[in-house]
């Protein structure tokens, strides 16, 4: 019996090893001094710093977000405009250090740092986990949160 093919949860992107994703997440954490900002309860400063790099953090009123997305997602990254969009409730919780909200923001940041862009391509092989944009962004967020002292086994995400 053949093993079943990996089912992508997101776009197919260039394969990236766990080591490479981890390295980028650790470097991101260091560049933005996230450990120190978390200790000082100033994570909002890390989000404000994004604009210095041409990255827009678009915080959308909750009722507008719900109407636009039917609450089917908690965040979005647009690679064309380098814009991360989240509902206000996620942003406020993240600024207070809520790990689930931070996961959302760091997941979207992972798409940016890992260079995810929609691409058309022809592949002769079925996709693998290391080519899944969502898996890569999840791993990036998990590593950043671990760098901040969160224990990831406490999180539980159910993906359809």
């Amino acid at each position: 019996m053949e093993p079943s093919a990996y089912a992508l949860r997101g776009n197919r992107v260039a394969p990236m090893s766990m080591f490479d994703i981890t390295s980028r997440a650790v470097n991101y954490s260091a560049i933005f001094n996230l450990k120190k900002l978390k200790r000082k309860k100033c994570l909002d400063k890390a989000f404000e710093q994004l604009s210095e790099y041409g990255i827009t953090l678009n915080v959308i009123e909750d009722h507008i977000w719900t109407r636009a997305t039917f609450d089917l997602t908690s965040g979005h990254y647009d690679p064309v405009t380098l814009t991360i969009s989240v509902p206000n409730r996620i942003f406020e919780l993240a600024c207070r250090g809520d790990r689930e909200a931070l996961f959302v923001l760091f997941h979207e940041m992972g798409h940016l740092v890992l260079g995810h862009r929609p691409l058309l391509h022809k592949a002769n092989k079925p996709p693998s986990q290391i080519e899944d944009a969502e898996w890569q962004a999840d791993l990036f967020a998990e590593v950043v949160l671990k760098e901040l002292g969160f224990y990831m086994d406490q999180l539980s995400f159910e993906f359809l």
Side-chain angles (χ1 to χ4, degrees):
M1 177 183 241
E2 281 186 41
S4 60
Y6 179 78
L8 289 172
R9 291 185 301 129
N11 293 322
R12 190 173 191 173
V13 295
M16 192 173 293
S17 72
M18 290 180 79
F19 176 81
D20 288 337
I21 295 167
T22 299
S23 295
R24 290 183 188 202
V26 169
N27 288 338
Y28 165 78
S29 299
I31 289 168
F32 282 88
N33 210 3
L34 295 180
K35 285 182 187 177
K36 182 178 178 185
L37 291 174
K38 180 182 178 256
R39 276 195 308 273
K40 290 184 170 185
K41 300 186 182 205
C42 298
L43 283 170
D44 55 322
K45 291 189 188 316
F47 305 134
E48 290 170 12
Q49 282 182 316
L50 296 175
S51 64
E52 296 172 21
Y53 296 89
I55 302 164
T56 302
L57 179 57
N58 184 22
V59 179
I60 299 172
E61 291 299 323
D62 293 334
H63 70 281
I64 295 171
W65 182 271
T66 299
R67 191 169 49 236
T69 68
F70 301 102
D71 267 340
L72 294 174
T73 184
S74 298
H76 179 264
Y77 167 62
D78 181 350
V80 175
T81 61
L82 299 179
T83 300
I84 294 171
S85 298
V86 294
N88 187 60
R89 67 183 176 273
I90 294 292
F91 177 74
E92 288 185 7
L93 287 168
C95 288
R96 290 195 297 257
D98 178 84
R99 74 174 173 247
E100 284 85 1
L102 286 168
F103 182 90
V104 170
L105 276 170
F106 294 140
H107 171 97
E108 299 307 331
M109 181 56 64
H111 286 301
L112 184 144
V113 172
L114 300 173
H116 293 163
R117 298 200 177 289
L119 300 171
L120 293 176
H121 58 83
K122 181 180 179 187
N124 295 327
K125 295 181 192 176
S128 64
Q129 183 180 42
I130 62 172
E131 297 173 299
D132 187 344
E134 295 306 310
W135 176 82
Q136 289 182 6
D138 283 352
L139 178 58
F140 180 92
E142 289 171 3
V143 172
V144 172
L145 288 174
K146 188 174 178 186
E147 286 291 299
L148 293 177
F150 289 102
Y151 296 100
M152 296 313 298
D153 58 344
Q154 296 174 356
L155 289 177
S156 64
F157 293 98
E158 292 185 21
F159 296 104
L160 300 175

